[in-house]
Amino acid sequence: MCGIVGYIGDRNASELLVESLKRLEYRGYDSSGLALISNNGISTIKEAGRIAILENRLMESPIEAHIGIAHTRWATHGAPTTLNAHPHTSSDGSVAVVHNGIIENYLELKEELHEQGISCVSDTDTEVVAHLAALLWDGDGVSTLRSVVRKLEGSFALAMLHVSSQDAIFVTRKDSPLVVGIGDDEMFLASDVTALLSYTRNFYFLEDYHIARVDRQGANFFDMELNSISLTPVETTWDLFAAEKEGFDHFMLKEMMEQPKVVVDTIRPRITHDRKAVRFDSIDLDETKIGQIDKIFITACGTAYHAGMVAKYLFEHMAQIPVEVEFASEFRYRKPLVNHRTLVIVISQSGETADTLAALREAKKLGARVLAIVNTVGSSIAREADDVIFTWAGPEIAVASTKAYIAQLSVIHLLAVHLATIRRTMNALEIKNYLEELERIPDKIDIILEQRDVVRQLAKRFAHGSDIFFIGRGFDYNIALEGSLKLKEISYIHSEAYAAGELKHGTIALIEEGTFVAALCTQSEMVEKMISNIKEVKARGAQVLGITCERTPQISQVADMTLYLPDTPDALVPILAVVPLQLFAYYCAIERGCDVDKPRNLAKSVTVE
């Protein structure tokens, strides 16, 4: 959500900043802007709408500069207008700032500024930061930024320019990500490493309340007492091509097509050669520690939450340990029953999801051990968790998560085997058979992806409907939730997912002639029950797409259309079953003319509550 970039060096700053902003478009935004320091002082250019508008303006009136900051804004305080776009400047023009996050006490600060004769011209919470920085300027950017931060409540990643320090950018953060990229006689900064992969692979990751002075020779870091601190650079293995479309029409399609490789990359290094065990190098959960745990609590948001629901079934069935799953946005407000005997698992693609990070901190405060499943090395959640398992999905650019979700499920299956091995709830033969089946999953995903033309035709048939329902039982209900979310996210079709057994308890009243129902039937023990549910909705006029395994041909006898998945053990089918639902959502969005990679009102990384 929102994006920050900054540069100092010998290159044309405006061109580099615009190109870097483009790489952050996937995060969601509705306006953009930049601030440059040149011989004429600080120049600020900003526009509502797409970055292309800003780029055209700069082409018409180029500015020669070698230092600058830039921003893509996703509106929270104030409408998405040019006036409310970042950067924001002080009344005297001496300061320009960009900001991700929310300043919770901005109204009080506005009143303080007003009492000193300083009025804000925008509706944003960020503008107060620029005025405060100008008011508190003491000749040094680091100490001034420290003074500003002490007055702020809320979350922030801040980058500041001052007209008196034309050779440096000053930055700080709290609860919102910010990285400093390392170059050769040039330095970069961004809210996401993907913005800078064209220029560097080496980054400093700021911790909360770190303050940095960044010049072309490097960066100096300080704590809130202005003590100098040392940070270790981190090299990312993500490459530029992974963040490009590579000939695909959309990032989402490219990322779906990458899913077989993602599963291989995620599971292969962690399965022993004899397939008798799973090895995680990055976690310290041995037999003693697992023996001290009497409950697992999983917390996440959105798609990651759906992965957590699959995990609940797996951990309880395979490792025989009780599991609760809760939305991260609700976790710390419900006074969860968490203590030192609880393992809390947090799941996040970005590692910066604000609600999930808050849940992690609450869990640690309550004495729990926290295990994070994340995709981004160096992220806040990865750094603050006690143990981390990385999903190795590479950069995911489309707002709607596909390959990151598949990677999360892959890790969850490995973790289920690991826990079952330690707790001795699976024997050696069961473990070997399970891991062998897991290793076959990538080839089976390939088979499903090859059916995408069939899915495209289904999407053309139903893309212009007003309501679509997804039903399933057990694992299939969890996957139905994810399929429904994907459809809503990118096609804007109203869709709902229901546990099929609940149809008669009210939901069936919504089924009428022509209603489209996607019925997942992949669980062996649920076939007869699902056939009954399919008949119930068809009796009310529904058009039914059955999604089932090849071993269940009888579904085609009751459904209007049937998509078959390769036969797979019930517990592993969720990794396969979600793929046709991802494709269906994608092709529905295409048919409706939607912006697939950047759906309206949504952001990739939700860094505010």
Side-chain angles (χ1 to χ4, degrees):
M1 185 175 292
C2 304
I4 289 174
V5 293
Y7 174 74
I8 182 168
D10 291 325
R11 306 183 199 229
N12 183 315
S14 62
E15 291 181 1
L16 185 147
L17 292 172
V18 168
E19 287 304 311
S20 299
L21 284 182
K22 289 178 181 178
R23 298 192 183 279
L24 294 179
E25 285 189 288
Y26 71 93
R27 294 171 66 97
Y29 73 103
D30 43 46
S31 60
S32 61
L34 52 79
L36 305 165
I37 295 182
S38 63
N39 293 333
N40 297 320
I42 295 178
S43 300
T44 302
I45 307 95
K46 50 189 187 175
E47 293 285 349
R50 293 300 188 195
I51 292 170
I53 302 173
L54 177 71
E55 186 175 27
N56 289 337
R57 184 173 166 191
L58 285 165
M59 290 175 65
E60 293 170 358
S61 304
I63 299 173
E64 182 67 27
H66 302 285
I67 176 174
I69 55 177
H71 190 267
T72 51
R73 176 178 185 255
W74 190 84
T76 55
H77 294 67
T81 64
T82 299
L83 181 64
N84 288 331
H86 296 213
H88 288 283
T89 56
S90 57
S91 300
D92 61 4
S94 65
V95 173
V97 297
V98 291
H99 163 231
N100 287 354
I102 293 178
I103 307 302
E104 294 175 354
N105 62 331
Y106 84 103
L107 291 175
E108 293 93 325
L109 294 172
K110 283 181 74 170
E111 184 61 31
E112 289 181 22
L113 291 167
H114 183 71
E115 291 174 358
Q116 299 191 53
I118 301 172
S119 298
C120 292
V121 297
S122 74
D123 301 317
T124 71
D125 54 333
T126 302
E127 188 184 346
V128 299
V129 177
H131 295 305
L132 283 172
L135 189 65
L136 299 172
W137 179 254
D138 61 9
D140 178 80
V142 171
S143 61
T144 297
L145 203 49
R146 189 265 304 263
S147 299
V148 171
V149 167
R150 283 179 167 172
K151 297 182 74 67
L152 303 181
E153 297 174 8
S155 61
F156 49 81
L158 290 167
M160 178 183 80
L161 298 177
H162 195 282
V163 72
S164 298
S165 294
Q166 299 194 8
D167 60 346
I169 305 172
F170 303 95
V171 300
T172 189
R173 63 151 285 183
K174 175 183 175 288
D175 296 338
S176 195
L178 198 64
V179 301
V180 175
I182 305 165
D184 185 10
D185 285 330
E186 61 183 355
M187 295 291 284
F188 313 84
L189 63 96
S191 49
D192 190 321
V193 297
T194 56
L196 305 177
L197 290 177
S198 296
Y199 312 109
T200 182
R201 303 290 176 80
N202 297 294
F203 300 92
Y204 294 111
F205 289 85
L206 273 69
E207 302 279 358
D208 281 357
Y209 293 112
H210 283 174
I211 304 173
R213 181 187 190 277
V214 182
D215 59 36
R216 66 176 60 207
Q217 278 74 47
N220 300 108
F221 301 97
F222 305 88
D223 62 19
M224 284 295 287
E225 304 306 317
L226 301 185
N227 299 311
S228 179
I229 54 179
S230 177
L231 297 185
T232 303
V234 175
E235 182 178 3
T236 180
T237 58
W238 289 2
D239 60 66
L240 177 61
F241 292 110
E244 298 287 354
K245 290 181 183 175
E246 297 179 5
F248 288 94
D249 291 338
H250 299 92
F251 280 111
M252 184 177 177
L253 180 59
K254 170 180 176 283
E255 289 158 5
M256 286 188 288
M257 298 302 291
E258 290 173 343
Q259 289 179 134
K261 181 180 182 298
V262 165
V263 177
V264 171
D265 291 345
T266 298
I267 69 173
R268 183 169 290 170
R270 289 154 169 162
I271 297 175
T272 60
H273 292 301
D274 58 8
R275 293 168 182 78
K276 291 183 178 179
V278 171
R279 296 281 183 264
F280 291 111
D281 296 332
S282 56
I283 66 175
D284 183 26
L285 286 172
D286 56 20
E287 186 171 355
T288 300
K289 291 184 175 68
I290 293 297
Q292 295 169 348
I293 292 168
D294 56 23
K295 182 175 71 172
I296 294 175
F297 209 124
I298 301 172
T299 185
C301 299
T303 287
Y305 173 81
H306 296 157
M309 294 182 71
V310 174
K312 172 182 169 64
Y313 277 76
L314 289 172
F315 296 165
E316 290 187 339
H317 174 69
M318 294 169 61
Q320 296 177 20
I321 185 168
V323 180
E324 286 190 57
V325 187
E326 181 61 273
F327 289 111
S329 55
E330 297 288 335
F331 180 86
R332 61 180 171 148
Y333 301 110
R334 60 166 285 190
K335 298 180 180 178
L337 298 177
V338 168
N339 56 37
H340 67 284
R341 296 186 64 84
T342 308
L343 174 65
V344 173
I345 299 176
V346 298
I347 308 174
S348 169
Q349 185 279 135
S350 68
E352 301 292 349
T353 311
D355 287 315
T356 308
L357 183 58
L360 180 156
R361 291 169 175 167
E362 180 68 15
K364 293 190 75 170
K365 188 164 66 175
L366 294 171
R369 186 179 189 89
V370 177
L371 167 64
I373 298 175
V374 297
N375 191 43
T376 308
V377 176
S379 60
S380 298
I381 288 174
R383 293 197 307 271
E384 294 190 28
D386 299 297
D387 300 285
V388 184
I389 303 175
F390 291 107
T391 49
W392 298 336
E396 186 178 65
I397 306 303
V399 167
S401 180
T402 54
K403 67 174 182 174
Y405 174 72
I406 290 286
Q408 289 163 358
L409 291 185
S410 300
V411 163
I412 285 165
H413 280 282
L414 292 175
L415 185 57
V417 172
H418 182 65
L419 293 172
T421 303
I422 291 174
R423 291 173 60 83
R424 297 181 178 86
T425 53
M426 291 177 72
N427 62 42
L429 181 59
E430 289 172 327
I431 290 169
K432 185 175 186 295
N433 290 339
Y434 195 90
L435 293 176
E436 286 177 347
E437 289 289 350
L438 180 58
E439 289 183 318
R440 296 187 181 105
I441 290 295
D443 290 337
K444 294 179 180 181
I445 295 176
D446 265 328
I447 292 171
I448 298 168
L449 291 169
E450 289 171 1
Q451 300 181 59
R452 59 187 181 277
D453 285 340
V454 175
V455 179
R456 182 189 289 119
Q457 294 307 313
L458 288 171
K460 286 182 178 180
R461 182 173 175 180
F462 294 104
H464 298 286
S466 59
D467 300 282
I468 293 180
F469 296 92
F470 295 78
I471 60 174
R473 292 171 178 259
F475 282 123
D476 285 340
Y477 170 57
N478 303 150
I479 300 306
L481 286 166
E482 177 59 15
S484 177
L485 176 62
K486 283 290 149 293
L487 191 68
K488 283 182 280 199
E489 283 180 314
I490 63 171
S491 75
Y492 320 139
I493 298 172
H494 171 254
S495 67
E496 300 294 341
Y498 293 101
E502 293 297 298
L503 281 171
K504 292 186 289 292
H505 298 278
T507 308
I508 204 165
L510 299 174
I511 305 299
E512 57 188 18
E513 190 71 34
T515 301
F516 180 58
V517 175
L520 288 101
C521 184
T522 71
Q523 302 299 295
S524 302
E525 295 181 358
M526 302 290 189
V527 172
E528 291 185 3
K529 296 294 185 184
M530 281 303 301
I531 288 175
S532 176
N533 294 137
I534 291 171
K535 288 181 176 180
E536 287 171 351
V537 295
K538 280 188 64 62
R540 275 82 181 170
Q543 292 285 303
V544 177
L545 168 64
I547 300 170
T548 190
C549 293
E550 292 170 344
R551 61 175 175 260
T552 320
Q554 59 266 46
I555 296 300
S556 64
Q557 299 172 15
V558 291
D560 298 286
M561 303 142 286
T562 307
L563 282 176
Y564 286 105
L565 311 176
D567 284 341
T568 304
D570 286 3
L572 286 164
V573 175
I575 305 183
L576 302 181
V578 74
V579 177
L581 301 186
Q582 295 170 343
L583 289 167
F584 181 74
Y586 172 77
Y587 287 119
C588 281
I590 295 296
E591 185 68 17
R592 292 166 66 90
C594 300
D595 190 342
V596 174
D597 288 335
K598 298 185 286 289
R600 68 190 184 200
N601 303 332
L602 298 181
K604 181 65 175 175
S605 180
V606 184
T607 55
V608 296
E609 290 188 66

